[in-house]
Amino acid sequence: MIYLRLVAESFRFAWQALRANMLRTLLSLLGVTIGIFAIISVFTLVDSLERNVRDSMSFIGEKVIYVQKWPWSFGPNYPWWKYFQRPEPTIREFRQLERRLTMADGVAIFSDRGGNTFKNGNSSFSDATLMGVSYEYNRAMEVPIERGRYFIPQEVEAGRNVILIGSEVAETLFPRQDPIGKQIKVGGQRFSIIGVLEKQGESMFGGFPFDQMGIVPYLAYSKMFATGPNGVGSAIVVKGRDDDPGLLELEYEARGIMRTVRGLRPRDEDSFAMNRPEMATQAIGGFFEVVGLAGWVIGGFAILVGGFGIANIMFVSVKERTNIIGIQKSLGAKNYFILFQFLFESVFLSLLGGAAGILLVFLLTLIPQDMMEIGLSISNIILGLGVSAVIGMLSGIIPAVLASNLDPVIAIRSK
């Protein structure tokens, strides 16, 4: 009970100090408010942007390895001349990987080409992307189907003219109709629609435009566009198993098979690239770390000013209440009681400033955004209040120690 009474009395002193010098206190807390606002707003924007970027890049898959001609690079001075003469992955190499890989949960080959026109009678959809895929593509990558079904093995192996279309294609060519079972013309050939993909919306980083896309069996795609070494580029995607979390065994196995199929000698460099989604996420993570550091630096200066303001309030408060401190000590108050009283007041004031900064960030998140959804997370709220509490303790510790060490006789005589 004594500790509850101590907290209650400390809260009462802090509230009285705030009410007695409202303008001075608010001006002093402005620095903490601005600092917390700067830090938490930056972290909120970074978290929201990172979440939206990762969602936008979900099209590259999870726990997968891409076997491609070109390696992914996210820095300057890309040495394209080193990779220009590399051959594209072929259907033969895909068959070898599909047959010989033991650590894979799925292997698929795919190729895509933009600038296509889909037609249904007098209606047309221009600049659509057409993708050709092997049967296990839906195991290696997510194929979100809203209506209809995915390919069956016989359709893929025979290269039949069946197609999955995106939501925008369906809405344009078949307004207020069910497109399942109907036909569209692509590149002069008729394809039967067996499924409609779920609406994905706009993506910040592009990727596969599923809403404006048609997906057909790889052999049907090869009849329309030349694939292989001198044709449209293809890629082989390999899905890892759950018991190989780092995909290291899968990568070693796939690399060994590809080198054997291409007849590379032990000293020869790989004539293919093994790309992994982690390359993209690491590059993005480095960018967000820099932005977060900038937020700490910008907010740190404002918090420093706010900390000095709170310290100034506490020094003035100690001077104004010296006589009261002397009376409390003469009545038996311990040093830790006085110390806790002023330290609590300092933390309380700092938390008020921090809460005001967090409230401003929350109000900003309520503004509708077209590009991305911005949300204030619980972790950022805890971070803001935690930083405020630490600033309050650091700002009030010296005045609190001075107050707790006052001589009661001298303190009572002061005016």
Side-chain angles (χ1 to χ4, degrees), residues 101-116:
L101 277 175
T102 62
M103 296 298 297
D105 197 33
V107 184
I109 187 170
F110 68 93
S111 178
D112 63 277
R113 178 170 177 170
N116 300 280

Side-chain angles (χ1 to χ4, degrees), residues 86-99:
R86 287 181 173 181
E88 293 280 356
T90 64
I91 191 73
R92 171 177 170 269
E93 293 166 346
F94 157 67
R95 296 296 184 194
Q96 289 291 325
L97 288 171
E98 185 181 41
R99 181 173 62 86

Side-chain angles (χ1 to χ4, degrees), residues 293-312:
L293 179 61
W296 275 110
V297 172
I298 295 171
F301 284 107
I303 286 180
L304 185 64
V305 174
F308 281 116
I310 292 175
N312 179 62

